[in-house]
Amino acid sequence: MSASESIGRDWYWDADGHLVIEDPSLGGTWWNYLFNDSAQLKIDPFGQGASWSREPRIQQWGRGRRELWLRFPDGRCWCPSGWPHRERSASWRCIHAPVWTRIEGRLGDIEVHWRVFIPRQGQREVWTVEVRHHGRKPIEVTLTHVLFQPLAGCMGSVGYWDAEKQLLLRHDFPHHAAYEDYERLKQLANYLYLRPLDTPDRWAASDRDYLGSAPPGEVPEGISGELPGIPAALDPSCAVVQYDLSMDPDERRALHFIAGAAVSPEAAALACGDLENEAALRTEFASLESAWLKTESTLQIETPDPEINRYVNRWAKKEILWMARLWRNGISTPWRNELQDSMGYSLFDFWAARPFLDTVTSAQNRDGYLKVWNTRPGERPNHPLVDFHHNDGGIWLIICQCLATHQSGDIQVLKREIPWSDGGAAPLLDHLAAALEHTAADRGDHGLVRMRDGDWTDPLNGPGRKGHGGSGWATLALAYACRRLGPLAAEAGRESLAERCTRLHAELTEAAQQQLWTGDRFAYGIDDDGNRFGDRDDDRVWLNTQSWAILANVATPEQIPLVRRIVETRLMTPLGPLLFDPPFRQWCPQVGRLSLKVPGSSENGAVYCHAAAFWAAALAHCGDLSAALDVLRRILPGHPENPCSQSGQPPIWQHNFWFSEPGSPRFGRTSGVLGTGTVAWALFTIVEQIIGVRATVKGLETRGKLPPEWGQVRITRRFRDGRQHVKRRQD
């Protein structure tokens, strides 16, 4: 048992590798996320969490609140899920699996399992309540299943039972002003439905009819069995179904509910048509689990570190799938995220990842410019950064497409025709060459790539807003892009492009050495007024320029030890390396918006896990695999110096930063934010640098030594048309 598994019994891994939570006080961010390409559910250990439909646009369709009640003949009422009422004498636990969550409770002779999963297709989720009677005498219980729906908008809402379709429906029309909006808005999923496979004995469709006059914290009046079964209008709505169960000893009863969003009652009925009985549900559930296991099998490792094994073999792949396929459930989102997520996806399934990479590539202009912040087609922008110019779109396009191309094992991938956003099409390699030239041309007199409205660090919007400031990170990242693109161009027979990459790398190296090197660190950049920052004068150390100077082969052999020393002495913490030190504690006009964030949080001096993963990749590039592995273990959930029960971070998904304000009682707490480029870079570093089994367009290669603490490793990788099995031993 690993260190993180041995911390009491508040949580543990079961024999199937599922997360079992037995301490309800963990709560907080200990949620699972279930999804397909059209739907998403965020589910906590008590059955609470938001549901989203994604077609034809992204919308949250529930209040994220659910209740399950049992009432006994003596009037006692019990919530098996532990919420909103917790029975101290009852047992409770929650199990999070890759494609389902189940909450289990037992009170006396009655055991209840409440499970949810999202089928492989459709905007729907399936809830099953299984009641088991372990007593020796028959018993009668009343079961009530509740889904709270959105509050009524100013257009009003209605809720009702459709006996013909066996649906509990809720409908409202989106608020709008323009007459012409009607045709567009009627195509949205404006009907919410609950389809119980067994006709309920009673139902309710409004908060008022379910809650009655019970004050918050009290048992709702509807639990007593007095649900009126009348349509709702205007009131806040909920879908409540109630059953009277007469159970013999050792009897098991299962009730199933399909919930979702649809454009019409007919569409709702159709959405449930393939899951109309328990046998169909069992078949779908088995197919869902089988499909997941097939995904898991695409990349499997066996190392002496069980936490790294578990992360790579299961949970990293799940998070990458969610990020890449659902664009992190975003409406307006930075395509640097989509590129890196899809690059990570390509490590275990290149052909599934390729369409997502190419979708971003096709948004590139013929002049090479790729806008970073964009809005999902059919949606309206919901983030102010879509109006600004960031300088790193083309850089990430080169890096991620080059890394992914190697995963294909086929240089011909670079010859695929991909459209330009402003007309015409060109081979992928021409897109990358255009991105290179456009970014290289956007350099100031200082020789650095201009920062514009921000680089990878979005809130760093002060230094380059006038169009003159230069980004040290972007300059080094472009040099890294040259390292990646040049050899591929040569392999594809484009010698002139390969030579251009070599020349540009030399130019960028010279500019970085002249403008950024300060004797013990690489500065972050130069502002619009020509002032350098992140150097000895302001005595602030930024992690990213140290990492990327190493990754880009810009740092000299003499500089690398100095860079590593300053990171170790100034930035390293038990949680991993800080993004920079010290954090800003008041408004800094040179830096801008970043300085207003809480010190030690997010980009203001936290252990920002994405940047820490860059540092791990840099350490691996130096050949120090033990140090790289140590950094990765510290940023992944469950490190002994910041265990999950302390951090609040469940070990089944990667957050984006640790709160890192020294001396704070919240030091080490999770950000609770799902979605980070950490996952792709951690996976790349573990598989290709630490284990050293690398995909290339020439074939699968093994390079370098294993970490000294690892005697041997095994890895299975999907590559080209089959699976490759590799075993490596320590020399």
Side-chain angles (χ1 to χ4, degrees), residues 296-364:
E296 280 194 1
S297 71
T298 58
L299 174 64
Q300 291 285 300
I301 66 171
E302 183 182 332
T303 78
D305 191 323
E307 298 298 333
I308 294 294
N309 296 343
R310 188 179 291 115
Y311 182 74
V312 171
N313 294 342
R314 173 166 288 179
W315 302 107
K317 287 197 278 290
K318 178 181 175 181
E319 190 162 352
I320 283 175
L321 283 172
W322 175 79
M323 291 188 294
R325 298 192 68 87
L326 274 68
W327 295 48
R328 304 191 186 184
N329 207 42
I331 293 175
S332 295
T333 183
W335 276 353
R336 71 169 74 90
N337 290 355
E338 179 66 7
L339 286 166
Q340 291 174 89
D341 297 341
S342 300
M343 179 270 286
Y345 194 179
S346 74
L347 283 161
F348 58 92
D349 195 342
F350 169 78
W351 298 106
R354 188 183 74 174
F356 299 95
L357 287 160
D358 291 353
T359 294
V360 176
T361 307
S362 65
Q364 183 188 22

Side-chain angles (χ1 to χ4, degrees), residues 12 63-64 208 328 376 465 473 480 485 491 541 690 715:
Y12 59 93
R63 261 183 274 171
R208 179 180 302 179
R328 304 191 186 184
R376 184 176 183 262
R465 67 191 185 280
W473 171 82
Y480 179 78
L485 181 58
E491 185 69 24
V541 180
I690 296 177
I715 182 171

Side-chain angles (χ1 to χ4, degrees), residues 271-302:
C272 302
D274 62 334
L275 301 175
E276 279 293 311
N277 54 61
E278 187 168 335
L281 288 175
R282 284 199 302 267
T283 298
E284 173 60 26
F285 183 76
S287 298
L288 179 66
E289 287 211 303
S290 177
W292 173 253
L293 292 175
K294 183 177 180 181
T295 296
E296 280 194 1
S297 71
T298 58
L299 174 64
Q300 291 285 300
I301 66 171
E302 183 182 332

Side-chain angles (χ1 to χ4, degrees), residues 373-434:
W373 274 84
N374 295 273
T375 301
R376 184 176 183 262
E379 304 280 3
R380 295 180 178 180
N382 70 339
H383 200 291
L385 288 181
V386 298
D387 297 324
F388 292 90
H389 183 141
H390 295 80
N391 70 354
D392 55 328
I395 296 172
W396 286 117
L397 181 66
I398 298 168
I399 292 171
C400 295
Q401 282 282 23
C402 286
L403 288 170
T405 295
H406 281 297
Q407 306 309 313
S408 75
D410 184 2
I411 195 66
Q412 300 302 315
V413 165
L414 292 173
K415 297 181 179 180
R416 296 191 329 274
E417 292 277 321
I418 299 178
W420 301 103
S421 66
D422 46 359
L428 172 58
L429 189 55
D430 286 356
H431 280 265
L432 304 186

Side-chain angles (χ1 to χ4, degrees), residues 126-141:
V126 177
W127 294 81
T128 293
V129 181
E130 184 179 283
V131 183
R132 301 174 182 177
H133 177 33
H134 297 286
R136 297 182 178 180
K137 297 180 180 180
I139 190 172
E140 294 185 356
V141 294

Side-chain angles (χ1 to χ4, degrees), residues 363-378:
Q364 183 188 22
N365 295 345
R366 282 179 293 180
D367 66 4
Y369 176 61
L370 177 66
K371 190 174 184 291
V372 174
W373 274 84
N374 295 273
T375 301
R376 184 176 183 262

